[in-house]
Amino acid sequence: MLFDSYDPGDFYDELFVAKGQPRPEGKLLIDRLNALSPDEIRVRQQAAKSAMMKLGATFNVYSDNEGTERILPFDMIPRIVSASEWADLEKGLKQRIHALNLFIADIYGEQKIVRDGVIPMDLIASSKGFLQPCIGLKPPHDIWCHITGTDLVRDRDGQWYVLEDNMRCPSGVSYVLENRRVMKNTFPQIFATLGIQPVDEYPGHLLDTLLNLAPPHIGNPTVVVLTPGIYNSAYFEHSFLAQQMGVELVEGRDLVVVDGYVQMRTTKGLRRVDVIYRRIDDTFIDPLTFNPESLLGVPGITDVYRNGRVALANALGTGVADDKVIYAYVPQMIRYYLDEDQLLPNVPTYLCWEPDQLEYVVANLDKLVVKAANEAGGYGMLVGTQATAEERQEFAGRIRANPRNYIAQPTLSLSRVPTLLGDTFEGCHVDLRPYILYGSQGVYVHPGGLTRVAMKKGSLVVNSSQGGGSKDTWVLCN
């Protein structure tokens, strides 16, 4: 029996309650896997890896001297989420998105939350994601965050927490779709007997969300995906989503502002563009408004957007909600805008800009995870329990030099899923990034999401840029 020696230990395991005791939602999967020999498992894992290579599911690592592209590591043991648990997560995510959207609209509008003393203006104004040129903008339907990837983790006691919000250019959904395609080929019989919610409807939902941003008088809107180009870490995803939606993939050099509209260069001349799914950060999208050195964006596009002649998803300025210091105030936002208690709690967070909390953080770096406010991909982070004394001392200097730029959180005992490492199954830590679409018809939470897994035994870092991989996420129908 493959899992006879697998011990979940004192962590929350997504598939096992205890050694030799699968969770009810995972029993059928474990029984099927136990019916396979170790050789059959290895063959299927290798087949899954080969399928990912054939699909070209790659990502780029900017600091990698060995080449620009890597295949995202994939493990064939899925994470399973029960229908009732997913229903609770869905409610919490919808609540959070509503509150964050109201917050972004407010701070670029009347700034009531600041005037009422809920969030200090200094924190907002000092955020790299808060953009003065966006004050007064009015996106279609008052929706700012059309596409969000919210990172969730589960602690030792089984409690879910929101780790961070990703509203600028959240990536990874292409791997969700490709992982599922591979898993259907790897375990076709299990899919035939176990009710698993499908994931392949995401491109259609995304296209509907984008089309609904166009002015209502336009009968056949032109939608494009705007990419920084082939060297971007998520270029595979940009091209994949454009292909799945049946729209053009463009770079900044393919677009030009003419006669007050954004036009796309084609072999038949210029063609007006109505909706842009941008995968370029705010400050690079318009050199006339933001970074004058940017060669990635479209000069003048901000004015076209301000005049309502092109729609952008996500809206400019949403990056302020990605700031990890602003994240700490989401519970207050939910109470302020919705008059509700948060359904999905934040991870307890220390704000280093507050002197008392700064001293606590510096004195307890060996117990905490410290993150830079505006970094992503696992960069600018210290995992105190795994750092040397010299690394902690160096990081303490960084924090004191710029306390506004850092938060700290307790080191959570992240949940684990059995993962094939070599010839044995090891419990590896995971997080979960569900994808949420907010359109004129409301908020849609895509069933499942990207389960990222730390592919090194004992590691807590799941980011692909730091050696992490991914798993398929199965949300059961009932």
Side-chain angles (χ1 to χ4, degrees), residues 260-290:
Y261 292 92
V262 176
Q263 310 268 5
M264 174 173 54
R265 294 185 172 97
T266 75
T267 55
K268 298 181 180 179
L270 296 178
R271 178 182 176 186
R272 194 178 77 187
V273 172
D274 304 299
V275 182
I276 298 175
Y277 176 23
R278 64 180 183 94
R279 297 300 296 259
I280 294 178
D281 278 354
D282 295 349
T283 54
F284 288 93
I285 200 166
D286 186 348
L288 299 184
T289 303
F290 301 110

Side-chain angles (χ1 to χ4, degrees), residues 207-345:
L207 182 59
D208 287 344
T209 301
L210 298 173
L211 288 171
N212 287 332
L213 296 178
H217 66 273
I218 297 178
N220 187 24
T222 296
V223 177
V224 299
V225 176
L226 175 60
T227 176
I230 61 172
Y231 297 108
N232 184 264
S233 62
Y235 181 75
F236 163 76
E237 177 158 297
H238 306 165
S239 58
F240 175 86
L241 289 176
Q243 185 270 333
Q244 290 290 304
M245 290 190 291
V247 304
E248 295 291 341
L249 179 68
V250 300
E251 298 181 27
R253 60 189 176 183
D254 299 317
L255 303 178
V256 63
V257 173
V258 176
D259 297 331
Y261 292 92
V262 176
Q263 310 268 5
M264 174 173 54
R265 294 185 172 97
T266 75
T267 55
K268 298 181 180 179
L270 296 178
R271 178 182 176 186
R272 194 178 77 187
V273 172
D274 304 299
V275 182
I276 298 175
Y277 176 23
R278 64 180 183 94
R279 297 300 296 259
I280 294 178
D281 278 354
D282 295 349
T283 54
F284 288 93
I285 200 166
D286 186 348
L288 299 184
T289 303
F290 301 110
N291 183 354
E293 297 182 359
S294 173
L295 301 177
L296 301 176
V298 184
I301 192 173
T302 305
D303 286 340
V304 181
Y305 178 56
R306 187 182 297 277
N307 292 329
R309 293 181 169 183
V310 71
L312 298 176
N314 284 341
L316 296 178
T318 52
V320 66
D322 288 4
D323 188 304
K324 294 177 178 61
V325 176
I326 303 299
Y327 149 94
Y329 287 87
V330 173
Q332 290 92 317
M333 295 176 200
I334 293 172
R335 170 57 60 188
Y336 181 80
Y337 293 114
L338 305 178
D339 194 24
E340 298 172 356
D341 293 328
Q342 61 177 351
L343 298 175
L344 278 175

Side-chain angles (χ1 to χ4, degrees), residues 33 36-53 72-78 182-183 186-187 418-425 455 470-471:
L33 291 172
L36 301 175
S37 69
D39 285 341
E40 287 175 306
I41 287 288
R42 282 191 290 270
V43 167
R44 295 197 187 201
Q45 175 66 47
Q46 184 57 47
K49 181 179 178 181
S50 298
M52 293 296 284
M53 293 184 68
L72 183 67
F74 175 72
D75 185 76
M76 69 176 188
I77 308 301
V182 170
M183 285 296 285
T186 305
F187 295 114
T419 303
L420 188 61
L421 298 182
D423 292 329
T424 61
F425 289 107
M455 301 288 282
S470 71
K471 290 173 172 284

